[in-house]
């Protein structure tokens, strides 16, 4: 593993989190938890091989008019959710990991990230179907794209959904997360 690159990614992430003042109280609380996790786990927080708790990167991909959101039907979770996954050693930043995952899972090559800083933090427990992963500390980023997405090996389906018409099978807190993300990027 390239430790200097990993240290640089962890340091850049901490810097983004320290400079972020979330609009929501819940996200402010989570931001403190993430900074503590990064401090205690160090560089290994970015590596899924380190243990059952690790950071992941996801991407809320909107149409340029911000009226539709790209979602995938997650094969293991059996629900619709934003695109994302594990951070790879070759990713130059956590935002780059989110962009890579979004491109891989959607087949869209022109995803434009809105920022290198996350706009959503979501720590969640995982079922046994996820293997040795037990808790993902997800960092959500925002992006815009257009085009017709194509499902990948990691999702059963992928498609654009109206913001005010999200599908039924989504995580219990997903509507609130989407509203918080939109509030963050529209400030």
């Amino acid at each position: 593993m390239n430790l200097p690159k990993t240290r640089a990614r962890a340091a850049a992430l901490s810097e983004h989190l320290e400079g972020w003042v979330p609009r929501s109280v819940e996200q402010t609380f989570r931001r403190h938890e993430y900074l503590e996790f990064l401090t205690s786990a160090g560089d290994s927080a970015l590596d899924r091989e380190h243990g059952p708790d690790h950071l992941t990167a996801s991407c809320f991909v909107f149409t340029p008019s911000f009226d539709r959101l790209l979602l995938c039907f997650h094969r293991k979770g059996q629900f619709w959710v934003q695109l994302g996954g594990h951070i790879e050693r070759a990713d130059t930043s956590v935002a780059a990991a989110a962009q890579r995952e979004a491109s891989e899972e959607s087949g869209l090559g022109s995803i434009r990230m809105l920022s290198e800083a996350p706009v959503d933090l979501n720590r969640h427990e995982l079922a046994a179907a996820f293997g040795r992963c037990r808790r993902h500390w997800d960092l959500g980023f925002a992006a815009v794209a257009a085009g017709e997405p194509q499902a990948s090996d990691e999702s059963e389906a992928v498609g654009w959904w109206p913001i005010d018409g999200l599908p039924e099978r989504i995580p219990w807190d997903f509507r609130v997360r989407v509203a918080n993300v939109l509030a963050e990027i529209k400030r």
Side-chain angles (χ1 to χ4, degrees):
M1 176 197 278
N2 184 338
L3 289 177
K5 180 186 273 189
T6 303
R7 283 194 189 100
R9 293 184 308 178
L13 177 58
S14 291
E15 186 176 312
H16 285 305
L17 289 174
E18 287 169 0
W20 179 36
V21 180
R23 294 180 62 88
S24 111
V25 172
E26 184 266 337
Q27 288 291 287
T28 300
F29 178 75
R30 287 245 184 258
R31 182 181 72 88
H32 292 295
E33 290 181 325
Y34 275 57
L35 286 167
E36 288 176 9
F37 179 59
L38 277 166
T39 299
S40 66
D43 300 329
S44 61
L46 297 167
D47 187 358
R48 70 176 164 187
E49 300 303 321
H50 173 69
D53 278 38
H54 48 268
L55 297 172
T56 55
S58 69
C59 198
F60 290 84
V61 181
F62 296 93
T63 55
S65 60
F66 294 96
D67 63 342
R68 298 173 80 70
L69 177 62
L70 185 59
L71 299 178
C72 72
F73 193 76
H74 196 281
R75 188 177 307 275
K76 289 180 183 175
Q78 291 295 292
F79 49 68
W80 289 94
V81 70
Q82 80 276 14
L83 308 165
H86 288 105
I87 301 162
E88 303 294 336
R89 291 181 177 141
D91 295 322
T92 57
S93 69
V94 181
Q99 185 176 28
R100 176 188 49 75
E101 285 286 344
S103 291
E104 288 175 359
E105 292 180 357
S106 70
L108 297 176
S110 60
I111 295 173
R112 182 176 58 85
M113 301 300 285
L114 297 179
S115 173
E116 283 284 314
V119 293
D120 175 72
L121 304 175
N122 183 267
R123 186 182 68 232
H124 48 273
E125 305 292 323
L126 301 167
F130 287 82
R132 63 176 274 189
C133 297
R134 287 293 170 249
R135 188 174 302 112
H136 281 166
W137 295 67
D138 190 57
L139 296 130
F141 295 82
V144 293
E148 286 302 316
Q150 301 294 317
S152 74
D153 293 342
E154 298 180 26
S155 58
E156 292 182 21
V158 62
W160 294 106
W161 291 85
I163 297 298
D164 59 357
L166 296 175
E168 292 292 318
R169 292 180 76 176
I170 55 177
W172 67 273
D173 60 347
F174 194 69
R175 285 181 189 7
V176 171
R177 291 178 64 200
V178 171
N180 284 343
V181 167
L182 283 168
E184 286 291 333
I185 61 179
K186 290 182 178 180
R187 34 160 122 184

